[in-house]
Every structure is written in C-alpha cells, then in structure tokens.
Amino acid sequence: MDMRPPQLTDMPLDARYSAVRAHTLALAAPLSDEDCGAQSMPDASPVKWHMAHTTWFFETFILERMEPDFAPFHPAFRVLFNSYYNGVGDKHPRAQRGLLTRPAMAQVRAYRADVDARMARLLAAELEAEQRAVLEMLITLGLQHEQQHQELILTDVKHLLAQSALLPAYLDAPRAVETAAAPVAWVNFEGGLAEIGHAGDGFCFDNELPRHKQYVAPFQLASRLVTNGEYLAFVAAGGYFNAALWLAEGWDWVRTQGIKAPFYWHQDEQGAWTEFTLHGAQPLDLDRPATHLSLFEADAYAHWAGARLPTEAEWEVASASTHLQQMFGHCWQWTSSSYAPYPGFQVAPGALGEYNGKFMLNQYVLRGSSCATPDGHTRATYRNFFPAGARWQFTGLRLARRH
Amino acid sequence: MDMRPPQLTDMPLDARYSAVRAHTLALAAPLSDEDCGAQSMPDASPVKWHMAHTTWFFETFILERMEPDFAPFHPAFRVLFNSYYNGVGDKHPRAQRGLLTRPAMAQVRAYRADVDARMARLLAAELEAEQRAVLEMLITLGLQHEQQHQELILTDVKHLLAQSALLPAYLDAPRAVETAAAPVAWVNFEGGLAEIGHAGDGFCFDNELPRHKQYVAPFQLASRLVTNGEYLAFVAAGGYFNAALWLAEGWDWVRTQGIKAPFYWHQDEQGAWTEFTLHGAQPLDLDRPATHLSLFEADAYAHWAGARLPTEAEWEVASASTHLQQMFGHCWQWTSSSYAPYPGFQVAPGALGEYNGKFMLNQYVLRGSSCATPDGHTRATYRNFFPAGARWQFTGLRLARRH
Amino acid sequence: MDMRPPQLTDMPLDARYSAVRAHTLALAAPLSDEDCGAQSMPDASPVKWHMAHTTWFFETFILERMEPDFAPFHPAFRVLFNSYYNGVGDKHPRAQRGLLTRPAMAQVRAYRADVDARMARLLAAELEAEQRAVLEMLITLGLQHEQQHQELILTDVKHLLAQSALLPAYLDAPRAVETAAAPVAWVNFEGGLAEIGHAGDGFCFDNELPRHKQYVAPFQLASRLVTNGEYLAFVAAGGYFNAALWLAEGWDWVRTQGIKAPFYWHQDEQGAWTEFTLHGAQPLDLDRPATHLSLFEADAYAHWAGARLPTEAEWEVASASTHLQQMFGHCWQWTSSSYAPYPGFQVAPGALGEYNGKFMLNQYVLRGSSCATPDGHTRATYRNFFPAGARWQFTGLRLARRH
Amino acid sequence: MDMRPPQLTDMPLDARYSAVRAHTLALAAPLSDEDCGAQSMPDASPVKWHMAHTTWFFETFILERMEPDFAPFHPAFRVLFNSYYNGVGDKHPRAQRGLLTRPAMAQVRAYRADVDARMARLLAAELEAEQRAVLEMLITLGLQHEQQHQELILTDVKHLLAQSALLPAYLDAPRAVETAAAPVAWVNFEGGLAEIGHAGDGFCFDNELPRHKQYVAPFQLASRLVTNGEYLAFVAAGGYFNAALWLAEGWDWVRTQGIKAPFYWHQDEQGAWTEFTLHGAQPLDLDRPATHLSLFEADAYAHWAGARLPTEAEWEVASASTHLQQMFGHCWQWTSSSYAPYPGFQVAPGALGEYNGKFMLNQYVLRGSSCATPDGHTRATYRNFFPAGARWQFTGLRLARRH
C-alpha cells in the first residue's frame, strides 16, 4: 500500500476533495473495525474517530453554514466528534474516544458518504462569487485539516499496534532498504535580516502569517538528520544517565518514567536492538534517521554532540539551500523555538479561530515533514508543534551550531 | 434473547460443557466486534477478553496438564488472557485489555472452537478413574468460572453502552412489566448455634468451605428487597447530603465524586427519573428492587431506615425460610460481612489456589444472585464479593434488624 | 524520660485529669516548638495539633455544654482543631495541619492552661447528681481520648524524625537491652461458645460493646510475638518477592511501593541492618518483637511460617491465659478480623456518636497494646484498628493455627 | 520594617556582603521559629531553608574551593540544603523541606554566623590577583543569589500565612495609601534592529548574555500596569467563564481548579472584595497594580482588553523611555516570550552552569521587578521566569499592541 496520496497539484477542487477523502479510506483499509475503534492513550485517537471528525469538520463548518435546508446526519455527532472547538459547544471527553463502539464503523462510513455527496452537490451548485470564494477557502482548509489527521492516523495506529504482544504489522510489504547514510557536512549560513512566514497566494495555516522580519545571526546546519547509528552511540555512552546533558524538566522525565532509549526501540537479552515500525518489529537500521524522539532527547543528544537545535527561523532561512538533505519526508525536526504567534498574528473570528492560536503555549515547533505526511501537505513555512515530551510522532533532529 | 442458559441439572458433563460454552456465544451475539473490544474502565473487561480468558482457563488448567502432546493454540495467549494468576506467569496489564484489537474476534472465536474440540476429545478419551475424577472436577470448575464471566459480560456491556451519548440498548425486546411491590414484612429468626458453609457433594467454590459453626443472635430480615420507590424517598429526603448517615469512607466517596443518586439513574431537567438498562434508558420503575448500589449507599439507606445490613451468616441461616422473597435472581444483596476465610479454610496448591483466598481483604460479601446470574450458578452458600464502592454489578439490599 | 504516665488507678477524677494532661506536656518536653509544628504525612499530625485537639475535645464536648457563660478561648479553634466530627461543623484540612504555624505553641500552651483551669472549676462546682454523672463520664472519655493521642504523639514524632537525614533521637537515654527471646511455644485453646466484649463497670469505648456470644473453634496461639530475628529470616528467604505468600492487594502494595523490609529497617552497604527508634538509629535487635509491620506483611509472614493471624475473638478468649507472654506493652497485634460492629452495637446520639462507628469499614482490628500505650489505657477487650497498609504504629504479630 | 535593604551601590565588597546577609536576618525577624519551618506547597520553601541554602551556596561554591583546610560546618548540610545542583550530588526532596525540624533555627543561625566569619577571613586574606578576581565574582554571584531568595522569602511567607484561618499579618505597620492611578496612555516605539541583553562591566546573570541583535516591529506599550480596578471589571464581565479569551491550557487550568479571581482575592457574602497582603487581609485597593496573576490570567485579560502581552525584547527596548511608569518596584510583568537561551548563550562549566540554562523550557519571561525585589537587584536586562500557572509571586501585567 502506498501511504501517500496521489499528487494533488493542479487538480480542480472537486477532484482534490475526492482524492483526499479517498486517501483516508485507503489508510484505514488494512485495519479491521476492531483496530479502528481502540484508543491507546489520551493523546492518540481511534481511526474511526479521525474518520468521523474530519467529516464533522466539513459538516459543521461548511454544510451547516452553506447548505440549504441543512439537517445534521445525526444530531449527537455534533458533540461526539467535536475535537476542541469550544465555540461549537460540548465535546465528548478526549480520553474516552475508544469507548465509542456506537456509532459503528459502518455508520461512520455512511456518514462520510453522506457528507461527501452533500459536499459534491454544494460544489456543483451555482453560488455568488463571494460565496464560492468562501466555500473554496473552507474546503481547502478542510482538506488540509484532513491531511493532518491522515498523518495522525498513521502515528496513532503505530502506537496502538505497539501495545500488543503480537507486534502486528500495519503494512504487509517488507520495509525498503535504506541506503548508507552520507557523512554529515556543516552548511554555512550568513544570517542577517530575513523574511519569515508564508508568502504568495497558496494555502497556508494562520500560524504561518504574517510574513515578517527577523534578525538571524550566522549559523551552521548539519546537511542531514541524525541517524539511528549516531543516536545509538549516545545511548551506549550513557547519555540517558548523565544529568548534565539534560534540561531540568527532561531529566525529571527520564528519571520518573525510567526512559533509556527512543520510544519504539527494544533491546533483547542478547543486546540486539530492534525498532517497532509500521512493518512490524525490525532490526534497528543504523542508516535511517533517528525518530520518535522527544524534544528532551533531541536536546540532550545535541548537547552531547557539542551542537544545539536550530531555531525555526534558522531552519526556514536555510530551507532554500540546495546543500541540505532530508529536509522533508523523513522526520519532523525539533527546533528550540517555543510555539508562539508571529508579530501581528490575527486570530480568525468564530470557532475556526481556535484552530491554532490557543495552543501557543508550552509547545515547541517542528519543521519539515515526515514519512507519514501527505505529499501535498509540505511547505518550508509549515509550523508543526508538540509538547516537549511527545514521542509518538515521527520526530527527529538536525543539528545546528554557531558559524 | 434469553439472558439465561438452559437448565443444566442432570445433564451429562459433555452436554453441560457445550451448553455453557454456547451460552457465552449467545450473550455476545447482539454485539458487534467493535462492541466486544472496548473496555470502559479498569474494573470491567471487553467481551472479547472474557471469551478468550474463559477459554484460556480450560487450555491452561486442563489441556496443558492432561492433553497428550499439548501445544498452545497461540503461545502469546498464555500472557494475554491470564487474569491474575501469578503462578501461571506474566499478565497483560488489566487496564489495557481494550487495546487488544489483535487477536481479532474471529481469531478468538477460532480459539474457542479449537479448545472446545480438544476438550471434547479429552472428555471422550479413556482415562484412569483418578484422572477422570480430576478432569471432571476441573471441567466443573471451568464451567462455574465461565458462568461467573457470563454475568460479568452483562454488567460490563451495560457499563460500556452507558458511556455512549446514544444510550444504545443491548436487548431489543421491551422490558417486562414489574408487578407492584408487596408491602414489606419483618420475618423473625431465633438464631442460635448454626452451621454455615457448603454441605453435600455438589460443586462449591473453596471459599464456601469448610462448613463450620457460628453463633447467630436473634434477628429479623425484611421479606423483600428495597425498591426503587423506597430508595427514591431516601434521595428526596437529602440522604446523599447528610453526613450522619454515612460511613466515614462513604461520606468521602460521596463528596469527592459528587454522587447524588444510584449509578444508572438520571434526572432530566423536568425532574423525571430514568434508569439506564440493558433495554436502553427506561423510566425509573418504582416497584423494582433498587440496584447498582455501592455498599456505602446500601449502608446509608439502612441507617436512614432505622435498620442495618444483615451479616452473611444471618442471610444464610434465613435462606431456608419460605417467608422471604427475592432471595435469588433479582439483585446481589450486600451484607455487612467482610470477605474473610472461614475457620479452617484451606488454599488449594498451585495457581488454582489463587482463585479466592488472595482477595480476602477490603471486600464485602454479597449473597443471593442477580437477574444476570446464570441459573445453574445459584446456591444459598455462595459468597460473592466486591469492594464497598463497586456499583456496576446488579447490587441491592435487604434490610435486617434486631429481633 | 519515662514515656509512660504515673499509675492512674484509684486516683480521684481531678487528680487523674491533672496527671493525664500533665503527661501530654511531658511527652512534648524533649521537642522544640519547630518539632511540634511539622506534619510528616497526612496520616500523622503535628504534636502541637495533638495538644490543641485534645484540649478542644474538653472545651467542645464538656465546657460548651456545661460551663455557665461559656465563651470559647478562640472562636477559630472550633474549626482548626476539629479532627473529624461532622456534627461539630467545619474542619481544617487534615493534610495541612503542618501549616498551622499560628496559633503558636505558646498560645496552644495557654489554651491548655485556660481549659484546665475552667475544667477544674467545673469539677469543683456543685452539680446535680445526674449532671455530675454526665460530667464524670465525659471527662473519663476525654482522658481516654487524650491517652490515645499520647500514643499517636510518639508514633507521629518517630515518623517525623525519621524523615531527617540527621536521624535525631527523641530520647537521649540509651535503649534498654532486650533479653534473649524465649523459644516459642504453641498454647492450646479448646474454643466453644464464648462471651466477647467488655463486662463490668469500668470504662470502655462504645466499640467494645455489647458483650455477646461468639462460637470459637479450637485453636493454638504462639506464646510470644514474632521477633526481628524470625522476621529477618523471612526477608532473607525472599519473602518480599514471592507472590504466593501475599494477599492480592498486599502484593500490589509491595510491588508498587518497592517495599523490601519493615518500615524503619535499613540495610547498609555492608549488609548490616539497623532500625530507627525513638533513641535514634540502632542495630537491629534480633530478640525484640518485629514491629511497624503492615497487615500485609504480618499476613505474608504468617503464611510463610505455615500459620495464620488470630481472629480478634481468639485473641480475646486467649488473653486470660497465663501461658501467653507479650500480650500487652510491646506491640499491637494484627488480627484477621475486619473492624465491624458487634451484634447489637449502638451509636451514641450527637457528634460523640462519630467516635468509632463510622470507621467500621476497610480497617482491621489490632489487639493488646504497645510500648507507647499509656498504662491505664490497656484492656483485653480493647479494639484498636488501622487500614491494612498502616506501618507507622507499633504493630507486630502473634501467630495462630488450628488446634 | 523596611522590606528593602540599604543601598548597596559603591559599597566595598565586604560591606556589601554584610549588608545583604544582614537583610536576610531582618526579613526573618518578624517570624517565629515555627513560622520559619513550615512549607506551604512544593513550590515554596521554608524561611529556614532559604536561610540555610543561601549559606550553603557560599560554603559550597566558595569556601569549599578556596578556604585552606576546608571542613564543612556539618557534613549532612551538603545534601540537605542543595536546591537543584546535580553536579554537587544528592538533594533533600523539595516537597519535604518543611519536615526539616532539625537542624533547628538556632543551628541554622549558627551556620550563617560561622560561614560569615569564614567568608570575612577569606576576604581579608592575601590572594593572588586572579584568585581574588574569582573570589569577588563568586561572592557577587552569591549575593545576587541571596537577593533572589530574599524575594522568595517574602512570597513564600505570604503564601504560608494565607493558609491560616487567622490570616495573620507579616508586617504590623498599616499599609501605605496608594495614590489614584493615572489614566493609561499608549507610548509609541518605532522598533527596528535593536541590541538586546546586558552590556557593560556590571554584574548580570548568564541568561542576560550575550548581547545580540533582534529585529523588533513597531509597537505600543501602556504607560502603566493594569490596576486592580481594571482587572475587577474583567472579573465582573465574566472573564473567567469565557473560553474564547483563554489559551487552551489556561482554560483547562481555570476549569479544573475552579479559579474565579486572582490568587489572594476573596469576596465576602455581601460581595465586597478583600485581598490578603503582608499586612493581613485588606480591602481591595482599586488603584494598585493587579498582582499574583498567572500568565494565563494576564493573557486572557489582555485578550479581553483588545491588546496583548509585550515580548521581552519590546519590554527591554522600551525600558529606556521616560514615558513609562511602574517599570520597576511594583510587579514583575509577564511577557509572551518563552524563556530561551539568547543566540550564542554559553553554559558555565561545572555545577554553577546549572544556574539558569537547564530551566529554559516551558517557562515564560517576566521583566521589571516587584515591591519585594531588593533594590540593588534591578536591571532592565533582568530575565525572571516562571511557569505559566505560577501565581504566588508578585506578578502583574502591562499591555502592548501594534503601532
């Protein structure tokens, strides 16, 4: 199975809608209804919930506003599949999404089909220009939103399958062989007054705006991501037992939770390392980028390696360079930047204004994209964000240092 | 659907085995695979887990010991479906049983079929008399064990369905109409030196033995259970807000958890009461016995009513009386007796010795049986037990007082 | 310093009042005001709080009822020093008693002196016979209550001092040398129908009443308590790592809290054992009774030793025997009996009725008395009680088995 | 009592040492030994601990390195009074500092006197120039460190006294009358490329370095702090019940903890507001700056007022302006800036390197200084920092908005 959707560029909107929506179904195809219902931790959601919530988004923010004679597919779904929008009303408790055995998967599939049919009618209807512009903007947002959940489907399924003693594979096909990692090179950037943030007409999220000036001092960036082999050297050197390498909160986290290696790594009694993947348990591939690292681990590794994490401005400035590899499509890359509003950031009115702004606290920015990110969902200005202890996403690191 | 199995008395063992095993499947029949996988709280288990664990019991305690050339159906199941037997080895964490989307329901059904076939072969085999006696004893125990889980399937499914905003019914059929509750009468018992515990050749659990003497002072027992109507009067009188009625730990429980009514009761904005049942939400039936009460609530009610809970010895002594109604088949009845070993109690050697003895602390005995108890599973000497705060079982109360 | 008060028997009530009250001050004498203010855990209370609460008891239950023109010493004290009497009104949160730096110790001493003076006036006043009887009954209860807190002062101070890296001694004097433990003998008791509970005119708590019949099967009791040396053999044999010996809740407790030895035992790097005592850290004395054991540990030890804990009825029946040593004055002795009301138990009306009855759940009875129990506070019918995990009291065990 | 120390500028180092050390004793003077021992929450420390820890700092980082024939005052103090320096070794658990009734206050005073005497000898000794420079640098750091704890003594004592139902005053003198708050004005700043961070020879903490360039867009800053009166309008307008105003984590904090007003505010049954102060409970003074606000509250208020919090760079750039009032000496002012290393930040080698860097995560910067900050401890480049939910410090806010 291809985890990535077809190329979406230049498709008309209705075709793009169909392609993105179909890709969500494709991601669920290898899973049973039972697999789709379980929630392995409060941070993760069942696949069924992702499938319903992304549909709820179209129903609530588009159909409810623009469909003549709107009637909800099911009145209870407004509450059941609201994620965090206070402006929409009540929400089902996040930690209990795994208890929603009703509605059944079949009903959720029917919900998707129903909303898709109504969306198709709406798209085909004659609308005034302004209304059409709003519709196209909202559909684009809805598709971007669904693509975010497509990545979460993969990370959440991986986390769920890892709970089972059977360590089942999501994908039957064997894992592709990774080529040997190239030696790392340090690429110089002169810095200076830079423009940061999204420019141009294409879609972006509100948190990528406004484009604004930032002063960036000269710096160097590693040409590629840190590999499993490099990270293993840190583990072997006792990195998890050396307080001097860790942020205070990170050290507390390591000690309290007894953490000794990246999230999906496992060392058997003979000392051999495996990592759990979407292809099941696999020998640790020393050439692949290290992933499923918390910010704490990324920061401690950088400290140990005599380097540091880049800021998000450094990463964005550097992203145009042709000397950097693995910027996209491998792992999200932790930065040292706290997730904060850009100068002049404006929150949209209404419930959609809750999309990004209210999370700008105690989270850290990741840049790039991962192996699980849908293709059309990648931008150099994209700001992903997670708390410092999150490990179930495909998160890795690229080193930075002073020039 | 009949929640009760066919009458098992006088059936030959192989027929009884088939009947009990088939009844478990019948209980799961109204449920989807999704329903069967979810775990609504750590105290409850998924139906799938109950189906597999009862099968594991036969495989581990019978086939593994007695089957020639024993090979496990699946090596991982020994850990996955062990409930609490330290003597058998590792266990899957109790609170994470809802994450076992693999094995799939289909595989668990295959597991049941495989073990049933092997059990049938073993039962049909020629065995020495002593071995056959052991086999029959163990099968009887396994069937009693499975019947306990049949009751838990119903209480756990009820709890799960109650989590859904849709409040779905487990049973489609309408609820039977309850006849008007008879006036309560106080039945006298003279007390004296009594024999308590199981007698005779029939099956009993180890905790019902040995039969022994206890002195019981004269007492009275109410002729029937406390009804919803009577309990509602306690609620209306502010019983949940009067500290003087409650045990200290009960008062803490009420305050901390904000408890104001029995577990499945709900009062709508107009003040009308409904109760969630296996038939879905229903108007509160004032004539039915109050159920899903914790020991705290049962004790506070009794205090308020100028009575007390019976001891388990009083209950057992009285059980032979013809003047008492609703002793079996309605609700388990809380007693004031802490669950403790009878004088001379012996723990069986090996892992089976963990069946009852190690739980004899901080739990309280319930007597009788409930509407969810399989018919062949009822005895006057039966000792059910739960912690004082448990409410998801069909638990009610019968009042006692001094003679 | 003598931890025990002068003999109180046959003293007139006013002299007894003075003697008991003075003993509380004597217990606090080796401590600084700082020592008296700290609370080392929610279960323990600061010495200052004990001193004020016992005084509050006399003020609230006697002076407030019987003193002409009663005015409280300080209006806020009614809340600050109420322990658990809902009938009296609000309470200061139990876990925050260590934050009561105001009132200062000097003010608490003044509170004691003021109440003592008023009590002396009341005792000297002319009262009608019935009123005098009530007064004498309440003073007796207040003194018994204060003696209970005298024991708690010692156990709570021991717990507090054990938190300090300095391991300071409460008592300067060297610890008395213990004589070698005698070999244990098994003493036979024939059992039968026995009378249990307090008899006669002397004081007893409500929970020792009414005297009633119980049938006790034949049993044996060990002639003395289990010693440190015997318990050390259990530790050395891996008792804390053998699930088969433990109650399920006990095994959970051992694993979750990482418990490997009795509460105040410490093993140094050379393997030598010390125990923290009121005389500071001392070499483990193998001849003394093992103490500071939870019920879990006592039960596991008994299991390992092929014996069991006695019931409280067995203990009380046996207490008249001349063949048993160490029944009183060494350690409270865990029984297997859940703390429950005796048949016919009556709760006193009003707030004083909260003294014992509301705690009769999930606690276990201890019999005898300890080295910290005031002399006049010992009875064969005395029922002490604590939850199964409590370890900071002087709690040990005496073995029982079938005859 | 004057909460502020004498002016320290231009004092010779030995006089400065004496003045700062004496001021700590002066702050403890209104308190009893009992007051000094209690710890009201894990975030706060007992005064005794502050007194000992600041002394430990001089003993560990100066005397241990530079004193000939160094011997510790007490070997256990190295552990007991270590706050968070992993490089120094073990630490007493932070949440149990209130249990350190030993050493007694008298011993801690003796510890201070002993270290002061040894420090005086060291300062008077003949040293090589380089050694003297190191000594002077370390003493300066130690005094700055002690001044930080002087502020904490006041905030921690305030928190402790607020726990008591007696609401005692730390200071007997009546509270000074505040003059009427001036109308707020918006002061314009043009922004541009600015130099941020400490410059010059004077002392600064490592986190104020290196001085570096930042681009700041044009902005406006309010001429004074938000007052109690203004904040009360937010409370009265239902600000605490309007999800749209809050960061997601802040809304969760408000709901979970039931927060409805600033930390020390209390509304009586007639609706009148008081605030607890170091002078005891006082009527809410509408003209004073609002204080004891969390970042969540400051941010929600700013949102409600159509403004935002300043960044720390904006605050620092603006601090030279003569148009701004209440920049120092009233309340610490929350900024929207996450506490992060400045570009090129270097951690000092050894345990002293733990001073600031390891806390640079999930904390937010506050600028200015408060009424509790010692006078010589104020700089425009000073970076104070606390987690977003901290409320027991003197924390307020100044509004910012776009130019």
Side-chain angles (χ1 to χ4, degrees), chain D residues 135-370:
Chain D
L135 174 63
E136 294 189 356
M137 182 275 285
L138 289 172
I139 290 178
T140 302
L141 178 61
L143 295 178
Q144 294 282 337
H145 171 257
E146 183 139 354
Q147 288 185 309
Q148 292 183 310
H149 282 274
Q150 287 169 354
E151 177 150 4
L152 294 175
I153 284 174
L154 290 169
T155 56
D156 294 359
V157 161
K158 182 171 181 177
H159 191 266
L160 171 65
L161 297 180
Q163 308 305 311
S164 167
L166 307 177
L167 291 180
Y170 166 71
L171 296 170
D172 283 336
R175 187 158 73 146
V177 176
E178 183 81 5
T179 53
V184 77
W186 288 100
V187 182
N188 293 332
F189 296 91
E190 291 309 315
L193 207 52
E195 295 275 329
I196 299 293
H198 185 75
D201 291 338
F203 174 84
C204 73
F205 285 112
D206 56 356
N207 62 9
E208 300 169 51
L209 292 173
R211 191 164 170 87
H212 63 284
K213 288 199 185 68
Q214 275 199 44
Y215 179 80
V216 179
F219 66 100
Q220 296 186 319
L221 228 53
S223 57
R224 61 158 172 76
L225 303 181
V226 169
T227 63
N228 281 335
E230 288 163 342
Y231 197 88
L232 184 57
F234 168 75
V235 174
Y240 282 87
F241 297 91
N242 181 356
L245 300 174
W246 296 79
L247 289 160
E249 194 173 313
W251 183 242
D252 200 45
W253 176 81
V254 160
R255 289 277 74 74
T256 309
Q257 305 198 19
I259 289 172
K260 299 173 182 171
F263 195 41
Y264 289 118
W265 289 23
H266 176 72
Q267 191 174 27
D268 68 22
E269 292 176 3
Q270 283 71 44
W273 288 96
T274 53
E275 55 179 335
F276 181 71
T277 76
L278 289 169
H279 302 263
Q282 301 282 338
L284 185 66
D285 184 337
L286 301 183
D287 288 310
R288 281 178 199 263
T291 190
H292 296 296
L293 302 177
S294 68
L295 172 59
F296 299 130
E297 292 164 298
D299 183 80
Y301 177 87
H303 198 154
W304 177 75
R308 60 170 173 82
L309 301 182
T311 65
E312 63 167 325
E314 289 172 342
W315 197 99
E316 187 169 327
V317 163
S319 65
S321 163
T322 56
H323 299 295
L324 298 171
Q325 298 143 28
Q326 300 179 326
M327 292 294 273
F328 299 99
H330 294 77
C331 301
W332 290 100
Q333 292 146 58
W334 284 109
T335 74
S336 63
S337 299
S338 173
Y339 181 46
Y342 283 164
F345 172 70
Q346 296 293 330
V347 173
L352 277 174
E354 300 181 44
Y355 202 91
N356 268 313
K358 73 181 183 182
F359 300 109
M360 290 178 172
L361 188 97
N362 291 344
Q363 312 226 33
Y364 285 80
V365 174
L366 300 113
R367 290 300 191 102
S369 65
S370 85

Side-chain angles (χ1 to χ4, degrees), chain A residues 101-169:
Chain A
T101 66
R102 317 283 178 98
M105 271 297 279
Q107 206 178 351
V108 167
R109 286 203 183 83
Y111 180 37
R112 290 185 68 89
D114 181 76
V115 165
D116 287 350
R118 290 151 70 195
M119 286 295 297
R121 278 198 294 279
L122 191 61
L123 259 170
E126 289 200 16
L127 293 171
E128 293 176 29
E130 192 182 336
Q131 266 212 306
R132 171 148 304 271
V134 168
L135 175 63
E136 293 190 354
M137 182 275 284
L138 288 172
I139 290 178
T140 302
L141 178 61
L143 295 178
Q144 294 282 337
H145 171 258
E146 183 138 354
Q147 289 185 309
Q148 293 183 310
H149 282 274
Q150 286 169 353
E151 176 150 3
L152 294 175
I153 284 174
L154 290 169
T155 55
D156 294 0
V157 161
K158 182 170 180 177
H159 190 266
L160 172 64
L161 297 179
Q163 308 306 312
S164 167
L166 307 177
L167 290 179

Side-chain angles (χ1 to χ4, degrees), chain C residues 31 33-35 38-40 48 74 76 80 92 96 98-99 101-105 160-161 163-166 168, chain D residues 31 33-35 38-40 48 74 76 80 92 96 98-99 101-105 160-161 163-166 168:
Chain C
L31 301 169
D33 287 0
E34 295 174 67
D35 291 331
Q39 179 178 33
S40 56
K48 178 161 74 172
H74 191 301
L80 286 181
H92 182 77
Q96 297 189 15
L99 306 186
T101 65
R102 318 283 178 98
M105 270 297 278
L160 171 65
L161 297 179
Q163 309 305 312
S164 167
L166 307 177
Chain D
L31 302 169
D33 287 0
E34 294 174 68
D35 291 332
Q39 179 178 34
S40 56
K48 178 161 73 173
H74 191 302
L80 286 180
H92 182 78
Q96 297 191 14
L99 306 186
T101 65
R102 317 285 178 96
M105 271 296 278
L160 171 65
L161 297 180
Q163 308 305 311
S164 167
L166 307 177

